[in-house]
């Protein structure tokens, strides 16, 4: 969809630059050309709001001032610094890429988009951001903010949930950046415009400098663009965590198997089709663990509260059931279950899923 009122590339980039000079937020990664700092900020800000990501960015740079420092850090430590951001694959990919750059590339980032996207965890968006912000390469970034601005201004009604649609927006962004004097500033300005002015809900159309050239505003479609197909309702998983206590310590396991919490330390869990846990199910599990527990586990005395977390494709409804052990788990149980005993201080230093962090904060 297009319209004669939509702006030319030159008008668009000039208007955007003027707006950005007045309205940009003073964010630390905008004051550097260091590819490491820029890359770090972009990885942290994926799927994350600036207000939430900024403290993580500052803590990571403090803990790991250079990419060699990050590469040399233990994975548990990196994941602990990441704790609370979610999407932990980002942290694991970031750590792996840091090792490649430090060990195989002499600590130097590739200087081109084409080379950057060959690295683990660096896709088209992050590659374009680092290439343009650090090295001035004329390659356009396309993220959620860019989708929204371009869809509204240029009347692009293709479904942004479809992977093939990205190419349509990439072509439009590439045509616009070609007319911009400074590709780094153009990319920053376009993303900032979507984050501050052309927001998902209640965009500030009244004071928008592109209003006279905006297809969506002219045609009353601001609320309809960009087009994104509704996702299927997320299923709910009922997870029952078993808190095995022994001598002021708790048994945890390090998650493996490549799931979303791979590498984090978690409680053993039972999954059911309902929100309640049958006492017979727990009793059988304790037998399998060779766990000698108090006759009436505390969790059976009254219903445990439910903790909820919304993930990208599912909802978790979790309950924590405490069991006081009368003796520690056997060596054979530890070997087969992957469980190990940790003190409160040790648990604090380990990377953990959000639900466990929340439960510990409320229950010690």
């Amino acid at each position: 969809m297009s319209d004669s009122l939509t702006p030319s590339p030159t008008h668009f980039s000039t208007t955007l630059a003027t707006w950005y000079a007045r309205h940009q937020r003073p964010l630390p990664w905008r004051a550097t050309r260091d590819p490491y700092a820029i890359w770090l900020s972009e990885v942290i800000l994926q799927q994350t709001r600036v207000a939430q990501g900024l403290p993580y960015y500052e803590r990571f740079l403090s803990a790991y001032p250079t990419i060699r420092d990050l590469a040399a850090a233990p994975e548990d430590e990196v994941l602990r610094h990441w704790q609370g951001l979610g999407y932990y694959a980002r942290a694991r990919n970031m750590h792996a890429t840091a090792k490649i750059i430090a060990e195989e590339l002499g600590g130097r980032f590739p200087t081109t988009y084409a080379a950057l996207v060959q690295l683990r965890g660096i896709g088209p968006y992050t590659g374009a951001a680092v290439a343009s912000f650090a090295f001035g390469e004329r390659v356009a970034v396309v993220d959620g903010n860019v989708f929204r601005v371009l869809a509204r201004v240029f009347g692009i009604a293709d479904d942004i949930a479809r992977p093939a649609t990205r190419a349509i927006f990439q072509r439009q962004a590439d045509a616009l950046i070609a007319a911009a004097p400074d590709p780094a500033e153009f990319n920053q300005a376009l993303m900032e415009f979507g984050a501050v002015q052309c927001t998902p809900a209640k965009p500030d159309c009244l004071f928008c400098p592109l209003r006279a050239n905006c297809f969506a505003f002219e045609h009353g479609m601001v609320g309809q663009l960009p087009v994104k197909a509704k996702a299927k309702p997320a299923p709910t998983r009922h997870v029952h965590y078993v808190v095995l206590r022994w001598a002021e310590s708790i048994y945890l396991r390090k998650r493996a198997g490549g799931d979303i919490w791979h590498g984090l330390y978690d409680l053993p869990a039972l999954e059911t089709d309902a929100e309640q846990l049958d006492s017979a199910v727990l009793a059988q599990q304790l037998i399998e663990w060779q766990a000698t527990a108090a006759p009436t586990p505390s969790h059976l005395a009254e219903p445990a509260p439910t903790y909820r977390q919304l993930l990208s494709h599912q909802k978790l409804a979790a309950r924590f059931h405490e069991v006081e052990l009368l003796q520690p788990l056997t060596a054979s149980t530890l070997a087969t279950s992957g469980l190990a005993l940790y003190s409160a201080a040790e648990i604090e230093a380990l990377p953990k899923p959000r639900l466990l962090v929340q439960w510990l904060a409320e229950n010690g």
Side-chain angles (χ1 to χ4, degrees), residues 8-10 46 53 75 80 92 97 217-218 229 246 260 351 360:
S8 68
T10 300
Q46 292 171 20
E75 183 180 86
R80 181 61 181 84
R92 292 191 292 270
T97 294
F217 183 81
E218 178 69 18
W246 166 251
I260 60 171
L360 287 169

Side-chain angles (χ1 to χ4, degrees), residues 70-276:
L70 177 58
E75 183 180 86
D76 280 0
E77 183 183 288
V78 173
L79 291 175
R80 181 61 181 84
H81 280 295
W82 192 271
Q83 182 175 288
L85 273 178
Y87 298 95
Y88 285 88
R90 292 181 293 168
R92 292 191 292 270
N93 288 338
M94 182 178 71
H95 194 212
T97 294
K99 291 186 177 205
I100 292 172
I101 293 175
E103 298 167 7
E104 300 178 19
L105 303 179
R108 296 179 179 274
F109 264 81
T111 59
T112 66
Y113 170 82
L116 284 163
V117 294
Q118 299 303 312
L119 295 172
R120 180 173 168 180
I122 297 186
Y125 165 75
T126 303
V130 176
S132 63
F133 302 156
F135 306 114
E137 186 173 353
R138 196 173 292 275
V139 54
V141 297
V142 175
D143 70 349
N145 288 318
V146 174
F147 275 134
R148 186 166 54 258
V149 174
L150 298 187
R152 288 173 175 170
V153 173
F154 294 94
I156 304 174
D158 297 79
D159 181 4
I160 64 171
R162 296 176 60 247
T165 298
R166 181 185 177 87
I168 297 171
F169 282 87
Q170 189 69 58
R171 287 194 296 271
Q172 181 67 69
D174 289 341
L176 295 170
I177 200 172
D182 183 341
E185 181 186 77
F186 174 85
N187 279 334
Q188 290 279 18
L190 184 53
M191 291 190 295
E192 187 78 337
F193 191 80
V196 174
Q197 186 85 33
C198 194
T199 54
K202 298 181 180 179
D204 190 7
C205 295
L206 182 61
F207 296 102
C208 177
L210 290 168
R211 183 178 65 172
N213 302 104
C214 178
F215 181 98
F217 183 81
E218 178 69 18
H219 294 83
M221 296 179 64
V222 173
Q224 286 75 52
L225 294 175
V227 172
K228 184 176 183 180
K230 290 185 178 180
K232 296 179 180 178
T236 297
R237 291 174 56 194
H238 297 285
V239 180
H240 298 271
Y241 288 108
V242 183
V243 185
L244 298 170
R245 292 187 179 274
W246 166 251
E248 304 301 320
S249 296
I250 294 176
Y251 285 95
L252 300 179
R253 62 191 174 98
K254 187 173 185 178
R255 296 182 69 111
D259 68 8
I260 60 171
W261 290 332
H262 176 84
L264 304 189
Y265 290 77
D266 203 2
L267 293 164
L270 303 170
E271 194 162 337
T272 65
D273 294 329
E275 200 162 344
Q276 302 295 330

Side-chain angles (χ1 to χ4, degrees), residues 252-254 332-340 342:
L252 300 179
R253 62 191 174 98
K254 187 173 185 178
S332 62
T333 295
L334 299 183
T336 57
S337 68
L339 292 169
Y342 296 93

